[in-house]
Amino acid sequence: MKRFIAIITLVFALCTGVSAQTGAAHKHEQFDMLLGLNIGIGGIATGKVLDGGSGSFALSADAGVTFDFYISNYLSVNTGILLHPEAHLIMEDNMKKNYTAGFKLSDYAAMPLCISLPIMAHFNVPRVEWLYLGFGVAINIPLVGMLDSLDDNIDITIDTKGPVFVSLPIDIGFDLIRHNGNGMRFFFRITPTILEKGAVVPIGCVWQIYNWKIFK
């Protein structure tokens, strides 16, 4: 977390240093439409969960396509469809203490393979349009539990699919798309995720490998 805060501080310091730039053509124009390829990863561990105690753990990834529509030179709305594997565990008590013959992994954890449907807004900061900020909501629809196939081989109940859940991604990073052209973006992401058993907040990054302007 301290490193993440330091990176954000550095970004804003760079922003201050170049904020006097004027007269440059806008990176994006009103009604621009972009189609992009997107991959990302994030994770977090809190408390003593890795030692079998209380706390939370989450690890997630994304891969898919995104679509951007620019309402103005600076403001865009974004959506897409992403394949989203995730593992999360929330423990309030020591797992060993609570272990019984009727133990259910789904009481504590889930490992779904999801389709993720994000709806987001992003903002290219005026005069420093490479600085890219955003927030939104994503609906994560589990398709299968990635460990459920192990059910026949062990003696505990496996149900790692879990219900539909919502995440609230927050982005800060760099838009490296060329003026009136194509290119990549890279940004850091904090993702508060609301689960049936509580909440986790993975921290990670997203690389939009390439974005094509399909209308400009």
Side-chain angles (χ1 to χ4, degrees), residues 81-133:
I81 182 166
L82 306 169
L83 191 64
H84 176 82
E86 174 155 333
H88 49 255
L89 169 68
I90 298 176
M91 292 295 299
E92 296 182 356
D93 301 302
N94 189 288
M95 181 180 261
K96 294 179 181 178
K97 179 180 178 181
N98 289 336
Y99 183 86
T100 66
F103 171 78
K104 293 183 179 179
L105 186 62
S106 58
D107 289 342
Y108 305 95
M111 192 176 287
L113 177 63
C114 305
I115 291 294
S116 185
L117 305 174
I119 301 174
M120 301 191 67
H122 282 90
F123 188 69
N124 293 84
V125 178
R127 299 189 180 184
V128 281
E129 295 181 32
W130 52 265
L131 183 58
Y132 190 66
L133 312 174

Side-chain angles (χ1 to χ4, degrees), residues 5-15 130:
I5 293 173
I7 291 170
I8 292 177
T9 302
L10 176 61
V11 168
F12 277 103
L14 290 171
C15 174
W130 52 265

Side-chain angles (χ1 to χ4, degrees), residues 5 24 39-40 42 71 76 78 102 112-115 119 121 128 130 144 165 167 213-214:
I5 293 173
I39 60 173
I71 297 173
S76 65
N78 330 102
L113 177 63
C114 305
I115 291 294
I119 301 174
V128 281
W130 52 265
V144 296
F165 61 97
S167 53
K213 280 195 176 178
I214 56 177

Side-chain angles (χ1 to χ4, degrees), residues 25 31 95 128-129 155 167 172 191 194 196:
F31 306 133
M95 181 180 261
V128 281
E129 295 181 32
D155 295 329
S167 53
I172 178 170
T191 313
I194 303 168
E196 191 176 38

Side-chain angles (χ1 to χ4, degrees), residues 12 50-51 56 86 97 128 131 138 177-179 195 207:
F12 277 103
L50 297 181
D51 296 325
S56 64
E86 174 155 333
K97 179 180 178 181
V128 281
L131 183 58
I177 297 173
R178 298 183 300 275
H179 164 66
L195 304 168
W207 179 26

